[in-house]
C-alpha cells in the first residue's frame, strides 16, 4: 500500500509539472533531518503501570538521562526481545538506537541503524516513526563520512531524489542532573566527580573509624551529634576532607533549624571542591525557604561555574515561587555564561506557570544568542497554552526575525498545540515561499482531518507548482483513503 501511495504521489507530481521530474524522500514519515539528540520532543515518563516492561523502561530511561548510553541501550533492547507485546516495545527500538548513536562507534552506529529498521518492519505506526527515519538518515550520513561505501550509496540515492524539505529545529538536550553522593565503604564517600588524588585520602583506616563513629553517634542521638558535626565542618585541614564530606551528608539529614546556614558556609569557604559540590547537592534536598535563599545566594556570589550549575539544578527541584524567581533572575543576568543560562532556561521551562511563561516571552527579545532564543521557543512550546501559541505565531509572522528563527517558531507553534484553524489561516497571510513550505510540513505533522484537507487543497489549487509538489509528497506519506483518492483525481484530471 505504501509503495502504491508513493507511486501515486510521484505520478501526480508529474501530471502537475511541465518541467523536471519531481523530487521525493526515501522513507515514510521522515520529518526532515531532526537531529538525533533531540529524540523527538522528550523521553516520555513511564505511563503503563502494570506493563511487564515497565520496570525495564524506568531503568533504561533513568540511565539515558544520566548519559549512561551503553547500559541504556542494553535495557531498551531487552524490552522488545523479552516483552514483544509490551506497550513500550514499539518505541524501545528508537531509544536503543538513540543511545547507540550517542556512543558513536562504527559498530554502535550500525547496530543503531539495524534497530531502527527492525522498528520500521515490526512497528510501522510507532509514535517515534518519524524521528526514527530522521535518525536513520543521520546514522547513514555519519557512516558514509567514515568510509562506509554502502551507506554512501544509500545517501547518494536519497540525495538525488529528496531535494530540500523543511528541517525541524533541534530541541535542547536536557541538562544532566548531578549524581547524588554515595556513602558506604570509605572508598566511596564522594560523588563521581571527585579526583583520584582526593579519593586516595579517603582510604585510610583511621578515617574509616572516625566516619563509623560519626554514623553511630548520629543514629544514637542527633542532638549530641550536631555540635560535633559543626566542629568537623569548621575544620580546614586537608586531612579532614573526607570527614567533612560525610559530615555534610549527616547534617543535611537532620533537617534542623540552621542546617541551611551550615551547608551554605561549606559551599562558600570549604577548600575541598568535593565538599562544596556535595553541600550544594544536599541543599536541593532540604525543602525549606531558607535553603532556597542559600541557593540563591550561591548563584549571586559564587564564581565557580560548576557550583553555579549545581545550584541551578538544585533550585529547579524546588517548586516554590521564591526558587523560580531566583532562577529567572539568574537567567536574565548579562554576565552569566550562555551554557549556564541555557540550563536555567530549560529548567524554567519545565515548571509550567504563567510567571515563567511571561518571563521567557519577555526574555526572548533581550537575548543576543540565536541558540538561546531557540531554547526559549522550545520551552514555550512545551508549556503549551493559547497565550504561548499566539506569541510563537507572532514570532513566525515577524519579518524582522531571521527566516530560520521564524520557521522554528512556526514549527514549535504547531507542536505546542496551536489550533489548526489558526495555522491554516496563516497560509494565506504569509507570502514568503519558505514559510509556506514550513507550513505544509507543519500540516503534515498534525493528525486532524482538517490538516489533510489543507494539504489536498494546496496540492490541487496552489498557483506555485513547487508548493503543490511539496503538498503531494506529504499526501504520499498519508495512509488516509482521502489522500489516495486526491492523488488519483490529480492524475486523472484532463
Amino acid at each position: 500500500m505504501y509503495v502504491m501511495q508513493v507511486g501515486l504521489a510521484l505520478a501526480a507530481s508529474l501530471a502537475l509539472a511541465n518541467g523536471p521530474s519531481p523530487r521525493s524522500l526515501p522513507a515514510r514519515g521522515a520529518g526532515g533531518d531532526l537531529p538525533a539528540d533531540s529524540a523527538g520532543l522528550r523521553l516520555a515518563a513511564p505511563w503503563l503501570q502494570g506493563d511487564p516492561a515497565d520496570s525495564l523502561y524506568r531503568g533504561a530511561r533513568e540511565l539515558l538521562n544520566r548519559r549512561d548510553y551503553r547500559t541504556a541501550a542494553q535495557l531498551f533492547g531487552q524490552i522488545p526481545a523479552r516483552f514483544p507485546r509490551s506497550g513500550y516495545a514499539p518505541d524501545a527500538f528508537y531509544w536503543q538506537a538513540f543511545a547507540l548513536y550517542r556512543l558513536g562507534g562504527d559498530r554502535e552506529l550500525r547496530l543503531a541503524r539495524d534497530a531502527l529498521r527492525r522498528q520500521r518492519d515490526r512497528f510501522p505506526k510507532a509514535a517515534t516513526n518519524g524521528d526514527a527515519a530522521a535518525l536513520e538518515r543521520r546514522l547513514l550520513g555519519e557512516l558514509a563520512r567514515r568510509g562506509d561505501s554502502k551507506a554512501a550509496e544509500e545517501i547518494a540515492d536519497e540525495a538525488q531524489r529528496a531535494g530540500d524539505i523543511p528541517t525541524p529545529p533541534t530541541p535542547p538536550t536536557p541538562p544532566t542532573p548531578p549524581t547524588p553522593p554515595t556513602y558506604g565503604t570509605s572508598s566511596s564517600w564522594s560523588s563521581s566527580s571527585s579526583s583520584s588524588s582526593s579519593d586516595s585520602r579517603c582510604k585510610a583506616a583511621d578515617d574509616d573509624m572516625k566516619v563509623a563513629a560519626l554514623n553511630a553517634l548520629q543514629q544514637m542521638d542527633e542532638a549530641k551529634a550536631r555540635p560535633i558535626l559543626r566542629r568537623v565542618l569548621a575544620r580546614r585541614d586537608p586531612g579532614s576532607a573526607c570527614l567533612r564530606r560525610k559530615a555534610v551528608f549527616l547534617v543535611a539529614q537532620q533537617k534542623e533549624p540552621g542546617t541551611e546556614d551550615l551547608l551554605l558556609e561549606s559551599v562558600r569557604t570549604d577548600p575541598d571542591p568535593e565538599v562544596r559540590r556535595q553541600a550544594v547537592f544536599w541543599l536541593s534536598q532540604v525543602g525549606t525557604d531558607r535553603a532556597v535563599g542559600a541557593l540563591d545566594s550561591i548563584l549571586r556570589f559564587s564564581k565557580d561555574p560548576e557550583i553555579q550549575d549545581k545550584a541551578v539544578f538544585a533550585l529547579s527541584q524546588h517548586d516554590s515561587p521564591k526558587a523560580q524567581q531566583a532562577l529567572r533572575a539568574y537567567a536574565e543576568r548579562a554576565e552569566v555564561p550562555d551554557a549556564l543560562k541555557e540550563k536555567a532556561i530549560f529548567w524554567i521551562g519545565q515548571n509550567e506557570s504563567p510567571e515563567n511563561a511571561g518571563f521567557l516571552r519577555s526574555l526572548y527579545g533581550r537575548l543576543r544568542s540565536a541558540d538561546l532564543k531557540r531554547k526559549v521557543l522550545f520551552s514555550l512550546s512545551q508549556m503549551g497554552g493559547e497565550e504561548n501559541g499566539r506569541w510563537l505565531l507572532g514570532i513566525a509572522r515577524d519579518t524582522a526575525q531571521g527566516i530560520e528563527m521564524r520557521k522554528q517558531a512556526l514549527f514549535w507553534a504547531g507542536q505546542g498545540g496551536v489550533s489548526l484553524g489558526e495555522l491554516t489561516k496563516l497560509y494565506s497571510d504569509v507570502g514568503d515561499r519558505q514559510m509556506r513550505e514550513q507550513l505544509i510540513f507543519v500540516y503534515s505533522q498534525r493528525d486532524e482531518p482538517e490538516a489533510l484537507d489543507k494539504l489536498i487543497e494546496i496540492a490541487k489549487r496552489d498557483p506555485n507548482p513547487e508548493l503543490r509538489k511539496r503538498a503531494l509528497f506529504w499526501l504520499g506519506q498519508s495512509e488516509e483513503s482521502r489522500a489516495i483518492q486526491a492523488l488519483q483525481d490529480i492524475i486523472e484530471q484532463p
Side-chain angles (χ1 to χ4, degrees), residues 216-435:
L217 184 59
Q218 172 89 342
Q219 294 171 11
M220 185 187 309
D221 192 329
E222 285 191 0
K224 290 183 178 179
R226 193 167 184 80
I228 297 174
L229 291 171
R230 284 178 178 271
R231 290 198 296 272
V232 170
L233 288 176
R235 293 174 62 177
R236 294 295 179 261
D237 56 297
S240 67
C242 299
L243 285 176
R244 299 200 303 275
R245 295 177 195 175
K246 182 64 176 181
V248 163
F249 166 71
L250 293 175
V251 164
Q253 307 313 300
Q254 291 187 344
K255 296 182 174 60
E256 293 291 331
T259 294
E260 304 89 340
D261 296 332
L262 284 174
L263 294 174
L264 180 59
E265 183 66 20
S266 293
V267 174
R268 286 178 170 176
T269 66
D270 197 291
D272 181 60
E274 187 59 32
V275 173
R276 298 197 299 270
R277 286 191 288 263
Q278 292 191 20
V280 175
F281 176 84
W282 291 117
L283 274 170
S284 73
Q285 309 301 303
V286 181
T288 65
D289 284 343
R290 286 179 61 81
V292 170
L295 291 166
D296 183 25
S297 174
I298 291 168
L299 287 183
R300 286 185 285 112
F301 298 111
S302 174
K303 303 300 183 184
D304 185 336
E306 186 174 357
I307 293 296
Q308 290 187 40
D309 184 8
K310 293 183 182 298
V312 166
F313 172 77
L315 280 170
S316 75
Q317 304 305 293
H318 288 266
D319 292 329
S320 71
K322 186 176 180 182
Q324 295 302 307
Q325 176 56 41
L327 280 177
R328 295 194 294 266
Y330 182 73
E332 65 184 351
R333 280 167 46 189
E335 74 276 13
V336 173
D338 282 358
L340 292 175
K341 190 170 290 191
E342 176 184 331
K343 293 182 180 181
I345 289 171
F346 177 86
W347 291 120
I348 290 169
Q350 298 303 295
N351 190 301
E352 300 176 7
S353 70
E355 294 78 12
N356 281 351
F359 168 77
L360 290 176
R361 294 193 299 268
S362 68
L363 180 65
Y364 177 88
R366 291 177 277 150
L367 294 171
R368 295 183 179 180
S369 165
D371 285 342
L372 291 178
K373 286 186 173 184
R374 285 191 284 268
K375 301 305 184 292
V376 169
L377 297 179
F378 171 77
S379 290
L380 287 170
S381 78
Q382 296 298 281
M383 287 183 172
E386 291 185 6
E387 191 170 2
N388 290 333
R390 286 194 299 270
W391 183 86
L392 287 168
L393 286 182
I395 296 295
R397 289 189 176 98
D398 185 0
T399 56
Q401 305 288 331
I403 186 64
E404 291 304 318
M405 198 67 69
R406 293 174 64 203
K407 286 164 65 176
Q408 292 206 14
L410 179 55
F411 176 82
W412 291 124
Q415 295 292 307
V418 170
S419 74
L420 192 63
E422 291 182 87
L423 291 171
T424 54
K425 180 180 181 296
L426 187 60
Y427 193 85
S428 59
D429 292 344
V430 296
D432 190 294
R433 174 182 159 182
Q434 291 187 64
M435 291 300 291

Side-chain angles (χ1 to χ4, degrees), residues 25 29-32 165-166 168 411 415 420 423 437-448 450-452 454-455 458 470-471 473-478:
L25 281 177
I165 69 164
F411 176 82
Q415 295 292 307
L420 192 63
L423 291 171
E437 288 178 349
Q438 187 78 345
L439 270 168
I440 290 171
F441 174 67
V442 169
Y443 300 150
S444 76
Q445 304 302 296
R446 299 289 288 250
D447 294 328
E448 299 96 325
E450 294 79 7
L452 185 60
K454 187 63 177 179
L455 288 175
I458 295 168
R470 193 62 57 91
F473 168 76
W474 291 114
L475 286 175
Q477 313 305 300
S478 173

Side-chain angles (χ1 to χ4, degrees), residues 87-135:
Y88 294 112
D91 293 331
F93 285 107
Y94 174 79
W95 294 112
Q96 178 191 14
F98 170 71
L100 289 166
Y101 167 73
R102 294 305 299 268
L103 287 171
D106 289 356
R107 176 176 178 273
E108 285 79 9
L109 293 181
R110 292 187 176 93
L111 290 173
R113 176 197 60 195
D114 295 344
L116 292 174
R117 290 175 177 177
R118 287 196 298 274
Q119 181 195 42
R120 188 172 61 214
D121 292 342
R122 292 176 55 182
F123 302 103
K125 296 184 179 180
T128 51
N129 179 270
D131 295 333
L135 177 54

